[in-house]
Amino acid sequence: MFNVLFELERRKVHKRLKAALEDFISKEGVSPVNDCYELVMGDYAIGEYPSTREMRFFLEDASLFTHRLALQIKKKIVDYCPKWSIVPQYGARTFVVNSNGVRFNETGRTIPYLSMTSKFDDWIAETAAYDEETKGPLRRQFTFIPKLLPNAIKDLETSKAIVLAAFDRFVPPIWNGRPVLWLLTAGSEDHPRVSPGEEKLSHPVTKRGAIEPQYAKKYFPSTNNPPPYLLQVHEFPWEARGELRVKLSANANEEICLPPVKELIKDEQLR
């Protein structure tokens, strides 16, 4: 049965939480786009329609998950809506903020706000290790790749696909343990396909060579406009490094042979 009181509470909590997070991100000086070209707070960052008095949100910057965030949530939401719990989430890492304090796992006890510092420091350290495992190699590759884009864009005047670099590592859970190559092509409504291989990631690239978030709304499918260029990551079998081909669209009649991958850049070299 539809619960009018719960619905009013839900709307109130969502409105307060959205405003509190936007204010917090701004005051912390965090860019709206992180160093992996993800929106820190996307359109669906907040689980707006919970079935219980617990609202969850996701932010794509580990540095935001601090004591200050917990206190901001307490002050801006929980103090006004004490029946509700708020669950900040970074990847698989969560904690719970409620009227009694902070809980750091599903079955653990709630720690009062004045006593949470030590446990919070442990949570932050564990989250930093998790961040390195799940984003470290990608972050370092995103530091390496942009400087290659200006020349690659010029080369696209005479070539249809440019292999920028190949690396020995990527990030879970989308990585199956094989090498990855970064490919630049002209933008279109369809994604090029490397064979043998599997696409793992894609980002629009502007005419000036700036990488944009994966789901930038200015491009297809949000609009009818394809991006000027498309940057993709493809995982491929090393034993097929000399036989890689790319099909620029599902309806393309031809496959383009890619140059053999002669070496892999090791993650240790980028640290």
Side-chain angles (χ1 to χ4, degrees):
M1 180 180 294
F2 183 75
N3 188 316
V4 176
L5 179 60
F6 177 82
E7 177 63 14
L8 291 174
E9 288 181 8
R10 182 198 64 76
R11 292 180 184 180
K12 178 182 177 181
V13 170
H14 177 260
K15 183 178 180 179
R16 281 188 165 274
L17 181 57
K18 186 174 185 292
L21 292 176
E22 290 173 344
D23 179 64
F24 184 76
I25 292 169
S26 175
K27 288 181 177 177
E28 290 291 302
V30 170
S31 170
V33 178
N34 68 14
D35 50 10
C36 289
Y37 296 92
E38 300 165 310
L39 292 173
V40 169
M41 183 177 170
D43 291 342
Y44 304 104
I46 300 174
E48 188 176 351
Y49 298 100
S51 57
T52 63
R53 287 184 171 88
E54 180 180 278
M55 190 167 287
R56 185 175 299 257
F57 68 85
F58 303 80
L59 299 178
E60 293 293 349
D61 192 314
S63 69
L64 289 168
F65 293 79
T66 62
H67 317 75
R68 296 186 300 278
L69 176 61
L71 293 175
Q72 173 88 336
I73 292 169
K74 174 185 181 298
K75 178 181 178 181
K76 299 291 187 179
I77 297 100
V78 174
D79 283 353
Y80 285 87
C81 307
K83 294 180 180 179
W84 281 75
S85 296
I86 305 298
V87 184
Q89 182 160 353
Y90 179 71
R93 303 280 299 160
T94 65
F95 58 88
V96 180
V97 181
N98 59 39
S99 58
N100 296 316
V102 179
R103 189 171 74 246
F104 291 95
N105 59 62
E106 296 298 327
T107 59
R109 66 184 181 90
T110 298
I111 300 173
Y113 290 102
L114 294 178
S115 306
M116 71 177 179
T117 301
S118 176
K119 183 65 177 176
F120 219 129
D121 287 343
D122 292 342
W123 189 93
I124 290 171
E126 292 166 1
T127 300
Y130 170 84
D131 176 66
E132 165 57 29
E133 177 186 355
T134 57
K135 290 191 177 180
L138 179 59
R139 182 177 290 118
R140 288 185 282 277
Q141 290 171 33
F142 265 126
T143 300
F144 183 87
I145 289 294
K147 62 188 177 184
L148 306 178
L149 290 174
N151 286 336
I153 288 172
K154 292 179 182 178
D155 290 341
L156 278 179
E157 295 175 4
T158 55
S159 300
K160 294 183 178 180
I162 304 295
V163 176
L164 297 167
F167 300 90
D168 68 331
R169 289 196 61 197
F170 204 55
V171 291
I174 59 175
W175 182 50
N176 295 315
R178 300 181 297 182
V180 295
L181 64 82
W182 289 65
L183 186 75
L184 185 70
T185 60
S188 70
E189 294 180 359
D190 204 355
H191 281 204
R193 293 161 174 78
V194 170
S195 177
E198 183 180 3
E199 181 183 359
K200 296 298 178 180
L201 191 65
S202 67
H203 283 265
V205 176
T206 68
K207 291 181 179 179
R208 295 186 176 184
I211 302 171
E212 300 210 71
Q214 184 172 11
Y215 302 110
K217 289 185 176 180
K218 64 181 75 172
Y219 303 122
F220 184 86
S222 296
T223 72
N224 292 324
N225 302 316
Y229 306 102
L230 186 66
L231 179 65
Q232 293 175 289
V233 179
H234 292 270
E235 186 172 356
F236 68 95
W238 177 244
E239 60 272 16
R241 61 191 179 277
E243 306 166 5
L244 298 175
R245 305 174 305 280
V246 60
K247 195 173 184 180
L248 294 179
S249 70
N251 297 323
N253 293 322
E254 65 172 331
E255 288 186 320
I256 301 169
C257 292
L258 295 176
V261 177
K262 296 181 179 179
E263 64 176 344
L264 298 176
I265 299 173
K266 296 184 181 300
D267 187 55
E268 289 75 11
Q269 296 173 245
L270 302 177
R271 290 177 182 266

